[in-house]
Amino acid sequence: MDDLHRDSAAALIAKARATGRIPVVKSFFDEPTFTATHVVHDPATRKAAIIDSVLDFDQPSGRTGHASADAIVDYVRREGLTVEWQIETHAHADHLSAAPYLQAKLGGQIVIGRHIETVQTVFGAIFNEDERFARDGSQFDRLMADGERFMLGEIEGMVLHTPGHTPACMVWIIGDALFTGDTLFMPDYGTARADFPGGDARTLYRSIQRLLSLPGDTRLFLCHDYKAPGRDSFAWETTIAAERTANVHVHEGVDEDQFVAMREARDKTLSMPRLILPSIQVNMRAGHFPEPEANGTRYLKLPLDTL
């Protein structure tokens, strides 16, 4: 995200406040994966977006379920919303996307940042995918570029490329609300890891600094929460000002070298996410499973001694 896009984002947020075009946000928290899914809508037109949905997945049995997604379906129908967007902030490594299921039930384009092509190339090699797996993002309905604008009803939105956690991370701004994906957590928990293939701590720091320069009263909605030590409840909403002043990893006064040293040392202590191997294989396909084999069954691979 360059300075021009950052300034345009700040202007968009200010305009939303000035005109009163403020989205309503309803969040659904999936405790097994510590994931917050956000349903965002324009109260004037009832047009909606679903951000970072969760497909229930029991890894020992390989069975999928839709209880989490069906709670969203029930809410959307009860509120009389029309879904225009099924948004992925990035190709998640900790849960499987329910976007195709929700699209079938509710409609809306499945959309992600165009740098998903980089993720598909990297993980296509890791999983030894053959030529049937396209690496051009064509599994998604739309790919968004840094600084691109879109509308949710009468509310203007904009996407900002924020690499570092993954090459394809995008922050989505809708009115005065910013959806960060994994880039930032609650101030008392910190920031995303940067040790996945294609991740980089220095790049993450620079992405975060551009976000922290946005208006302080901007609402931030996070994709995950793990309850920092001393906190008894899950939380997924904060502000730019709170992150700027109190984020335990990247508050004001923490310079780039300090952050990189902390982030790289911390990442070395972290184990891989429990669902990373099934999640990436599905999410890099826009939430779809691999094609069935000759016996009609779909399979996910388990590469040994790779990650």
Side-chain angles (χ1 to χ4, degrees):
M1 175 177 59
D2 61 26
D3 289 344
L4 176 61
H5 291 153
R6 180 198 61 199
D7 294 345
S8 295
L12 184 152
I13 293 165
K15 180 181 177 182
R17 289 284 174 85
T19 60
R21 287 178 175 167
I22 305 298
V24 174
V25 182
K26 170 70 173 177
S27 301
F28 296 79
F29 191 72
D30 179 61
E31 190 167 345
T33 62
F34 305 101
T35 301
T37 298
H38 308 291
V39 181
V40 192
H41 80 265
D42 171 16
T45 65
R46 315 300 290 176
K47 299 295 179 64
I50 299 171
I51 302 177
D52 292 333
S53 59
V54 176
L55 180 74
D56 301 327
F57 180 65
D58 180 67
Q59 189 168 16
S61 67
R63 292 196 173 275
T64 61
H66 302 104
S68 297
D70 283 338
I72 292 170
V73 173
D74 291 345
Y75 170 77
V76 167
R77 290 176 173 168
R78 186 169 64 249
E79 294 295 317
L81 306 180
T82 301
V83 175
E84 293 190 318
W85 302 102
Q86 302 279 351
I87 293 172
E88 301 290 353
T89 57
H90 62 295
H92 301 275
D94 36 35
H95 69 272
L96 282 65
S97 171
Y101 176 81
L102 289 170
Q103 184 181 54
K105 294 282 186 178
L106 302 170
Q109 295 185 69
I110 301 176
V111 57
I112 199 167
R114 67 172 53 259
H115 290 274
I116 189 63
E117 298 169 1
T118 302
V119 174
Q120 290 175 329
T121 298
V122 170
F123 280 96
I126 288 173
F127 291 110
N128 197 34
E129 298 286 352
D130 61 24
E131 68 281 353
R132 291 174 296 177
F133 174 63
R135 286 133 168 106
D136 59 1
S138 57
Q139 300 89 342
F140 296 82
D141 296 315
R142 182 167 171 182
L143 304 181
M144 298 286 247
D146 184 33
E148 192 165 346
R149 305 280 185 121
F150 65 99
M151 298 297 294
L152 181 67
E154 297 176 355
I155 299 176
E156 191 169 6
M158 181 178 182
V159 294
L160 302 174
H161 185 214
T162 53
H165 174 56
T166 80
C169 288
M170 301 289 276
V171 161
W172 296 75
I173 300 172
I174 302 175
D176 73 330
L178 189 154
F179 300 86
T180 66
D182 291 9
T183 299
L184 287 166
F185 298 132
M186 291 298 291
D188 59 0
Y189 200 86
T191 59
R193 66 194 296 165
D195 61 333
F196 293 156
D200 180 76
R202 198 166 297 277
T203 301
L204 178 62
Y205 179 85
R206 295 172 184 175
S207 292
I208 290 171
Q209 291 306 309
R210 293 189 174 110
L211 295 179
L212 296 185
S213 69
L214 293 173
D217 58 355
T218 303
R219 295 185 290 164
L220 261 65
F221 293 89
L222 315 177
C223 185
H224 296 289
D225 186 54
Y226 304 96
K227 282 198 295 191
R231 177 154 52 86
D232 295 329
S233 59
F234 291 107
W236 47 80
E237 181 179 354
T238 183
T239 65
I240 288 287
E243 296 283 11
R244 188 188 297 153
T245 58
N247 187 288
V248 294
H249 292 166
V250 71
H251 57 78
E252 290 173 324
V254 175
D255 67 26
E256 184 172 314
D257 289 338
Q258 289 174 317
F259 176 81
V260 170
M262 177 283 302
R263 188 69 265 170
E264 290 181 347
R266 179 173 171 79
D267 288 349
K268 289 177 181 177
T269 71
L270 302 177
S271 58
M272 284 288 105
R274 180 175 59 89
L275 294 180
I276 184 171
L277 294 175
S279 293
I280 293 293
Q281 288 177 81
V282 171
N283 295 338
M284 69 184 186
R285 292 176 162 88
H288 298 284
F289 283 84
E291 291 300 314
E293 298 195 7
N295 62 357
T297 300
R298 301 175 189 269
Y299 291 88
L300 296 173
K301 294 181 178 180
L302 184 68
L304 301 179
D305 303 319
T306 300
L307 297 181

